[in-house]
Amino acid sequence: MRRSFTLVDVLLLLALFIDAPWAITGSSHCQRGNPAEIRPHSVAITEFGAVGDGVTLNTKAFQNAIFYLNSFADKGGAKLFVPAGQWLTGSFDLISHLTLWLDKDAIILGSTNSDDWPVIDPLPSYGRGRELPGRRHKSLIFGRNLTDVVITGDNGTIDGQGSIWWSWFRNETLNYTRPHLVELMNTTGVAISNLTFLNSPFWTIHPVYCSQVIVQNVTILAPLDSPNTDGIDPDSSDDVCIEDCYISTGDDIIAIKSGWDEYGTSYGRPSKNITIHRLVGQTTSAGIAIGSEMSGGVSEVYAENLTFYNSTTGIRIKTSPGRGGYVRNIYISNMSLTDVKTAIRFTGRYGEHPDESYDPKALPLIERITIDDVTGQNIKYAGLLEGIEGDTFLDICLSNINLSVTSKSPWNCSYIQGYSEAVSPEICEPLRERIIPDHYSSCYYPSHPLQSSSNETVGLDCHGKFMDA
């Protein structure tokens, strides 16, 4: 098994990344303020007895510091400063109006003792742990029912030390579902930026039931053979902006979710208004995935300026009979692929159900998916587009796509309906009707992709607090 990433690995990778021709640059669409001008009250973790030697367990220090800072929540909020050092800890909870700030050489290390990651109830939209029936481990950094939470710094590091969890998973010795590295639930106003995240035990950054979320200028790394180490997974969340990120992991770089089968349908909270800009990465799975847990619905997703290399899939939609829900109004533009097995993939029979109570007649609605301006080199398959018999995926629109494909059968399409324009190699028969002039209105082209559902721009003011435009 490949070793976990170390700080030396990160520094070498970032040095190469900065000089790369596809390195992330450009103006911000997330309207993020300056997090350096933060809270009126500040303490350092060392004031609560923390020792940054990489050996001393500092869970109590983090918990006590945050308990103390809670008294300032109604006085402009507070900042917890983590200086240079290696700060070993188990799970700890954040509070509202808090900035967790990591200095340049600060490393928060997740404990390798599972007892330091408490067990909590499953998400109601999943009905059970994602891997095992029953409960799940709490994430290293956790928050619930909060407002105005900032996790940032001067390019510090949060390392989940996940290799022990990956071993337990492979050896089938887990008692509960693995923890995420960062999870925020039912929280409004989240900003995560200017940090490196390493070796998550499971999904890395998981905002669930959240609104107004910014993830900006982060690096997320885990070995390509690490199991289920997704990068960023917005889940039943709305008004999410992801920008200027480099992610290399063992599963989907970004996976947009909204609950699992009958539990997701019953909970009924969709993921919507999700914007992704200037994303670069590699993975053994997909660059951007929707699903497979999408039973609460996914809509209004806008992604542009994407670069994926050395990966299995560029864009993937995953669903199954029994999911119900919908995926609609998706627009993906300006994507560059190199050494990618399949550029575009729709999987209508992904399977995986939480229990036997799901309704196999609950069919998902997949419609109005537009993918525009795609180039690719050394691609094996242009597209594997597989809908569901009796549940055709509708208004799939592909345009301005130019792929250098090695397979003699570049497209494989079934139970798909839609249109195309300027696609090479030649598109499969169900998509050969031209978009222009008769079917432009059938395709999804967002009019104001950067605006939230309430016509407000997601943003932060100059004090690192959330504002409305």
Side-chain angles (χ1 to χ4, degrees):
M1 183 180 69
R2 182 179 170 183
R3 64 187 176 89
S4 302
F5 275 93
T6 66
L7 185 58
V8 172
D9 295 326
V10 175
L11 294 174
L12 290 172
L13 186 148
L14 290 177
L16 292 170
F17 177 63
I18 290 170
D19 293 332
W22 37 257
I24 297 169
T25 57
S27 61
S28 172
H29 294 283
C30 291
Q31 297 293 313
R32 191 171 189 278
N34 180 5
E37 302 176 44
I38 21 180
R39 315 289 187 178
H41 306 278
S42 179
V43 297
I45 191 63
T46 50
E47 297 176 47
F48 296 83
V51 179
D53 60 3
V55 177
T56 303
L57 188 66
N58 295 296
T59 311
K60 285 295 183 183
F62 277 99
Q63 292 172 343
N64 290 339
I66 291 171
F67 179 80
Y68 168 76
L69 292 176
N70 196 40
S71 63
F72 300 104
D74 60 350
K75 301 177 181 66
K79 165 184 166 181
L80 177 57
F81 177 74
V82 182
Q86 298 187 44
W87 309 92
L88 183 69
T89 181
S91 300
F92 61 90
D93 290 15
L94 304 182
I95 56 173
S96 293
H97 309 296
L98 176 74
T99 296
L100 176 64
W101 179 283
L102 278 70
D103 206 11
K104 180 179 180 181
D105 295 317
I107 305 173
I108 293 178
L109 293 172
S111 170
T112 56
N113 183 346
S114 64
D115 292 339
D116 295 324
W117 306 65
V119 175
I120 60 175
D121 289 337
L123 293 169
S125 57
Y126 284 72
R128 48 160 276 186
R130 184 57 184 87
E131 298 180 293
L132 295 168
R135 306 178 80 198
R136 63 199 183 104
H137 285 280
K138 182 190 286 189
S139 63
L140 183 66
I141 298 175
F142 182 78
R144 187 200 309 260
N145 302 326
L146 305 180
T147 301
D148 179 22
V149 174
V150 179
I151 304 172
T152 188
D154 187 14
N155 296 313
T157 299
I158 300 173
D159 185 346
Q161 300 201 105
S163 60
I164 186 68
W165 294 94
W166 309 333
S167 296
W168 292 332
F169 169 77
R170 292 187 177 103
N171 296 333
E172 299 184 351
T173 55
L174 289 167
N175 294 317
Y176 305 99
T177 291
R178 286 173 287 160
H180 310 302
L181 194 53
V182 176
E183 181 179 73
L184 293 165
M185 297 176 57
N186 292 304
T187 295
T188 299
V190 176
I192 301 173
S193 66
N194 302 329
L195 294 171
T196 295
F197 297 85
L198 303 180
N199 306 314
S200 177
F202 198 37
W203 307 342
T204 305
I205 297 174
H206 185 224
V208 58
Y209 321 140
C210 290
S211 297
Q212 299 181 27
V213 177
I214 293 173
V215 182
Q216 187 178 53
N217 192 31
V218 303
T219 298
I220 300 176
L221 303 175
L224 292 176
D225 64 351
S226 58
N228 313 111
T229 51
D230 299 20
I232 305 168
D233 288 7
D235 196 341
S236 292
S237 293
D238 56 86
D239 295 335
V240 177
C241 189
I242 300 168
E243 181 177 76
D244 295 332
C245 296
Y246 177 82
I247 301 174
S248 173
T249 62
D251 210 325
D252 299 324
I253 290 174
I254 291 179
I256 302 169
K257 303 174 181 290
S258 66
W260 199 8
D261 285 8
E262 70 270 25
Y263 301 104
T265 302
S266 175
Y267 195 78
R269 177 157 180 175
S271 282
K272 61 182 180 179
N273 299 311
I274 296 176
T275 303
I276 302 166
H277 295 278
R278 296 189 299 269
L279 174 68
V280 179
Q282 63 172 335
T283 175
T284 51
S285 192
I288 295 177
I290 299 176
S292 72
E293 309 91 333
M294 40 60 66
S295 301
V298 176
S299 67
E300 281 69 51
V301 175
Y302 180 87
E304 68 170 5
N305 298 335
L306 314 170
T307 300
F308 304 129
Y309 65 97
N310 187 33
S311 297
T312 301
T313 308
I315 301 296
R316 189 174 186 188
I317 295 175
K318 302 181 282 188
T319 187
S320 188
R323 288 287 192 272
Y326 57 84
V327 175
R328 63 179 175 232
N329 296 350
I330 311 298
Y331 183 79
I332 296 168
S333 177
N334 192 14
M335 178 171 65
S336 175
L337 305 174
T338 304
D339 300 327
V340 172
K341 183 178 179 181
T342 304
I344 304 165
R345 186 171 185 183
F346 298 169
T347 304
R349 292 189 173 275
Y350 189 80
E352 292 191 359
H353 303 284
D355 52 38
E356 297 302 317
S357 298
Y358 76 94
D359 179 6
K361 296 180 181 179
L363 300 177
L365 175 63
I366 312 298
E367 63 177 358
R368 291 171 60 80
I369 314 295
T370 298
I371 301 176
D372 184 37
D373 288 331
V374 180
T375 61
Q377 298 296 320
N378 194 28
I379 310 299
K380 186 172 183 180
Y381 300 108
L384 301 178
L385 310 181
E386 302 164 350
I388 299 171
E389 185 176 3
D391 184 33
T392 298
F393 295 1
L394 302 173
D395 294 332
I396 309 303
C397 298
L398 307 183
S399 59
N400 302 314
I401 294 176
N402 191 337
L403 303 172
S404 175
V405 174
T406 60
S407 172
K408 294 181 179 179
S409 300
W411 297 93
N412 187 333
C413 304
S414 58
Y415 310 114
I416 296 287
Q417 176 273 328
Y419 315 98
S420 64
E421 197 79 34
V423 175
S424 176
E426 185 180 13
I427 195 72
C428 52
E429 193 278 332
L431 302 181
R432 283 183 187 165
E433 283 193 66
R434 294 189 62 184
I435 296 173
I436 300 173
D438 296 329
H439 298 294
Y440 184 85
S441 62
S442 300
C443 302
Y444 178 65
Y445 296 98
S447 57
H448 299 289
L450 302 183
Q451 298 298 311
S452 74
S453 57
S454 57
N455 294 319
E456 299 167 344
T457 302
V458 176
L460 292 169
D461 69 11
C462 64
H463 301 291
K465 303 173 188 176
F466 272 83
M467 65 178 183
D468 296 333

